[in-house]
């Protein structure tokens, strides 16, 4: 039986679940012969997207160039990223968490917060035991490892999940918060950026505990609201609720694609940018949003970015209307003597479509016609696959491979289709395929 627990120890119980080396772990789960070996994903981009813990022990880090990986660890297994499969693992992960609590916040593809408050009695066990059951279910069903932090606020739970990576569980009850915060540098607090950390260090604050112990008048005088809320959370006051609603509001939507070999060919780069635009607009329309501005950027082979921001004539999420801004922006930033490895588009100033008010000078009838056209486009894409219909300037990006040479390798899932699947449509069952 569970012993008596002080209400001050667990006035709330918040889990932070963090998958360990998620992309690489998914590859190892699908390929048992990769377990225990240094696995790296990101071959198609030439940059490490994720590294298994075996690879990390060799000094391989996220963002490292693939050619550097080969020098450090010639035995590393370098794979193209399979984001479709990783997303399906993520969905399964969140489904498992919802068996234990309805309050699950999908923080990222491989992270979640879970509110367990009040669930000890129905489960007849401690919060730590529930965390262990969750970890065991994920390992058993998905064959991946997760690290779990348990505490009374989201900020402290996030801190706790880092304590015993990989595969650990760390519980920090309210009465023991000070024992853990004393070991955390202020720059490692979730929500504290480098500039705020530098400011706090100017006042002699170097650890999370020193920050938490500052009086409220100091915090109110020197810090803005987001950082004051972090201070409250470090002191055990639950300010950030676990939000079970899926994210459907965005301030910006960004879409970028890397390609190899690098190029300075005008039509090819325009095609890439146009496809970026179409992808960004698809997401905006899915969430019922329109953009008031757009950013176009190019990244050179030596990772230097050049971009331009433009304000739209009226809010829109229709590529046919926004294409002229792609041409205009590209003309301003394109340098024919440079080789580019990535293009990108960012939709800015997003607002709900139903809140848009058109002026007397706007062609409302034209806007309504555009809405009907793209309503049909979206329905066809849903039925036959993404980019079933696309703007002609994006043709090269749709018919040419994104990567050629050894970076052009497709993930196993895309190279081994089930009957009836095609390049645009695949069923969500990555685990049915047995690899040998």
């Amino acid at each position: 039986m569970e012993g008596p627990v002080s209400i001050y120890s667990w006035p709330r119980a918040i889990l932070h679940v963090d998958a360990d080396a998620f992309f690489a772990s998914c590859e190892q789960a699908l390929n048992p012969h990769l377990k225990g070996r240094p696995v790296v994903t990101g071959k198609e981009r030439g940059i490490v997207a994720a590294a298994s813990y075996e690879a990390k022990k060799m000094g391989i880090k996220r963002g490292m160039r693939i050619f550097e990986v080969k020098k450090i660890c010639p035995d590393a297994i370098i794979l193209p990223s399979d984001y479709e499969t990783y997303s399906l693992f993520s969905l399964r992960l969140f489904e498992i968490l919802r068996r234990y609590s309805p309050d699950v916040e999908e923080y990222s593809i491989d992270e979640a917060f879970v509110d367990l408050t009040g669930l000890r009695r129905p489960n007849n066990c401690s919060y730590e035991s529930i965390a262990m059951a969750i970890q065991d279910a994920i390992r058993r069903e998905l064959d991946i490892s997760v690290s779990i932090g348990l505490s009374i606020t989201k900020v402290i739970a996030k801190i706790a999940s880092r304590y015993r990576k990989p595969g650990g569980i760390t519980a920090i009850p309210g009465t023991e918060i000070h024992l853990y915060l004393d070991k955390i540098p202020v720059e490692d607090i979730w929500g504290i950026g480098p500039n705020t950390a530098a400011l706090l260090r100017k006042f002699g604050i170097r650890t999370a505990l020193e920050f938490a112990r500052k009086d409220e008048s100091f915090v109110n005088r020197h810090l803005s609201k987001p950082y004051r809320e972090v201070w409250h959370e470090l002191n055990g006051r639950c300010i950030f609720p676990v939000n079970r609603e899926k994210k459907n509001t965005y301030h910006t939507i960004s879409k970028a694609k890397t390609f190899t070999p690098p190029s300075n060919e005008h039509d090819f780069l325009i095609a890439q940018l146009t496809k970026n635009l179409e992808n960004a607009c698809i997401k905006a329309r899915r969430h019922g949003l329109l953009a008031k501005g757009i950013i176009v950027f190019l990244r050179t082979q030596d990772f230097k970015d050049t971009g331009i921001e433009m304000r739209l004539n009226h809010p829109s999420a229709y590529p046919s209307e926004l294409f002229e801004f792609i041409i205009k922006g590209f003309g301003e930033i394109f340098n024919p003597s440079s080789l580019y490895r990535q293009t990108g588009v960012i939709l800015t100033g997003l607002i709900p479509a139903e809140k848009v008010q058109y002026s007397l000078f706007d062609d409302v009838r034209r806007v309504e016609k555009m809405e009907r056209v793209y309503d049909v486009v979206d329905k066809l894409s849903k039925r036959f696959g993404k980019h079933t219909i696309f703007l002609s300037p994006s043709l090269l990006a749709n018919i040419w491979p994104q990567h050629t040479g050894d970076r052009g390798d497709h993930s196993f899932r895309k190279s081994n289709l089930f009957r009836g699947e095609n390049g645009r449509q695949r069923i969500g069952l990555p685990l049915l395929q047995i690899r040998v």
Side-chain angles (χ1 to χ4, degrees):
M1 290 290 291
E2 181 187 354
V5 178
S6 168
I7 189 171
Y8 299 107
S9 296
W10 297 109
R12 297 193 69 83
I14 309 295
L15 282 188
H16 179 246
V17 180
D18 187 7
D20 301 317
F22 183 56
F23 295 169
S25 294
C26 292
E27 297 289 352
Q28 291 175 321
L30 292 173
N31 296 269
H33 68 277
L34 297 180
K35 289 184 178 294
R37 303 174 69 182
V39 175
V40 170
T41 69
K43 181 179 182 181
E44 76 289 351
R45 298 175 56 205
I47 300 174
V48 175
S52 68
Y53 276 86
E54 295 82 3
K56 290 179 180 180
K57 288 178 181 177
M58 303 295 293
I60 297 172
K61 299 179 180 179
R62 185 177 181 181
M64 184 179 287
R65 308 283 186 91
I66 293 298
F67 73 84
E68 295 176 310
V69 171
K70 294 177 180 178
K71 291 180 181 179
I72 295 174
C73 183
D75 295 331
I77 299 166
I78 303 170
L79 303 171
S81 300
D82 184 1
Y83 295 108
E84 181 180 357
T85 290
Y86 307 153
S87 295
L88 292 168
F89 266 84
S90 180
L91 289 173
R92 291 281 304 278
L93 172 64
F94 297 140
E95 287 172 0
I96 291 171
L97 296 178
R98 290 191 176 93
R99 295 179 202 163
Y100 295 86
S101 172
D103 294 324
V104 174
E105 178 179 334
E106 300 177 13
Y107 184 67
S108 70
I109 191 172
D110 61 348
E111 289 183 73
F113 289 99
V114 186
D115 192 339
L116 297 180
T117 307
L119 296 179
R120 284 182 301 186
R121 183 170 295 176
N123 288 279
N124 194 31
C125 63
S126 67
Y127 291 131
E128 293 93 328
S129 297
I130 298 174
M132 291 173 63
I134 289 173
Q135 187 183 63
D136 181 65
I138 293 169
R139 183 184 294 112
R140 186 176 63 254
E141 298 181 34
L142 301 183
D143 198 19
I144 64 173
S145 166
V146 297
S147 298
I148 295 179
L150 169 64
S151 194
I152 62 176
T153 72
K154 289 172 73 172
V155 170
I156 303 174
K158 178 91 168 169
I159 289 172
S161 66
R162 299 178 187 173
Y163 252 80
R164 295 188 176 94
K165 281 181 101 33
I169 296 177
T170 302
I172 305 179
T175 53
E176 297 179 11
I177 292 174
H178 62 287
L179 300 177
Y180 290 85
L181 297 189
D182 192 37
K183 305 170 186 177
I184 304 298
V186 69
E187 59 269 20
D188 288 348
I189 302 171
W190 179 48
I192 300 294
N195 290 332
T196 305
L199 171 65
L200 293 174
R201 283 196 296 271
K202 290 182 184 299
F203 290 100
I205 301 171
R206 302 191 179 279
T207 69
L209 183 61
E210 289 173 341
F211 178 42
R213 284 182 170 172
K214 297 300 290 186
D215 60 73
E216 190 168 1
S217 62
F218 168 87
V219 175
N220 291 336
R221 185 165 61 254
H222 295 288
L223 298 174
S224 59
K225 181 180 177 182
Y227 308 109
R228 295 198 295 267
E229 292 175 336
V230 170
W231 176 82
H232 281 293
E233 287 255 329
L234 289 174
N235 280 284
R237 306 180 193 100
C238 191
I239 304 298
F240 303 133
V242 173
N243 183 8
R244 70 164 79 179
E245 300 298 326
K246 290 189 176 182
K247 185 175 181 180
N248 56 12
T249 58
Y250 297 83
H251 297 294
T252 64
I253 290 177
S254 175
K255 292 294 180 180
K257 279 287 187 179
T258 303
F259 44 83
T260 50
S263 175
N264 61 355
E265 205 280 313
H266 179 279
D267 290 347
F268 176 77
L269 295 174
I270 287 291
Q272 293 289 335
L273 278 170
T274 306
K275 190 172 182 179
N276 296 150
L277 173 66
E278 291 175 316
N279 284 330
C281 287
I282 287 170
K283 184 172 182 178
R285 294 196 303 274
R286 185 166 67 242
H287 293 287
L289 301 171
L290 299 178
K292 299 188 334 188
I294 185 171
I295 297 173
V296 176
F297 69 88
L298 302 173
R299 175 171 293 174
T300 63
Q301 181 65 356
D302 55 355
F303 292 86
K304 293 181 179 178
D305 293 340
T306 305
I308 184 171
E309 184 171 3
M310 296 162 282
R311 186 171 180 82
L312 306 182
N313 302 325
H314 61 264
S316 177
Y318 308 116
S320 298
E321 290 187 320
L322 303 183
F323 177 69
E324 63 178 283
F325 292 94
I326 295 294
I327 297 298
K328 179 181 178 182
F330 180 78
E332 293 285 339
I333 63 177
F334 174 60
N335 181 354
S337 62
S338 295
L339 287 174
Y340 297 97
R341 70 187 311 271
Q342 186 184 81
T343 65
V345 167
I346 305 173
L347 300 181
T348 64
L350 297 174
I351 57 174
E354 66 270 15
K355 293 186 178 180
V356 173
Q357 293 183 344
Y358 294 100
S359 72
L360 295 174
F361 302 101
D362 291 320
D363 189 346
V364 179
R365 290 185 61 187
R366 184 175 182 276
V367 172
E368 291 174 345
K369 288 180 181 179
M370 195 66 67
E371 289 177 357
R372 291 196 294 270
V373 167
Y374 276 95
D375 182 56
V376 174
V377 169
D378 292 337
K379 288 178 180 177
L380 289 173
S381 295
K382 186 175 182 179
R383 182 172 181 180
F384 298 107
K386 194 176 180 181
H387 297 296
T388 297
I389 297 177
F390 53 84
L391 295 181
S392 59
S394 68
L395 177 64
L396 295 179
N398 281 288
I399 64 174
W400 286 1
Q402 199 72 18
H403 303 277
T404 58
D406 62 348
R407 289 193 191 175
D409 293 347
H410 288 296
S411 66
F412 183 88
R413 184 66 182 87
K414 290 184 179 180
S415 303
N416 294 267
L417 301 178
F418 296 121
R419 181 175 296 178
E421 293 184 324
N422 57 51
R424 291 194 180 96
Q425 292 179 303
R426 287 176 293 281
I427 58 176
L429 295 170
L431 300 181
L432 292 183
Q433 184 69 48
I434 300 176
R435 302 188 183 188
V436 296

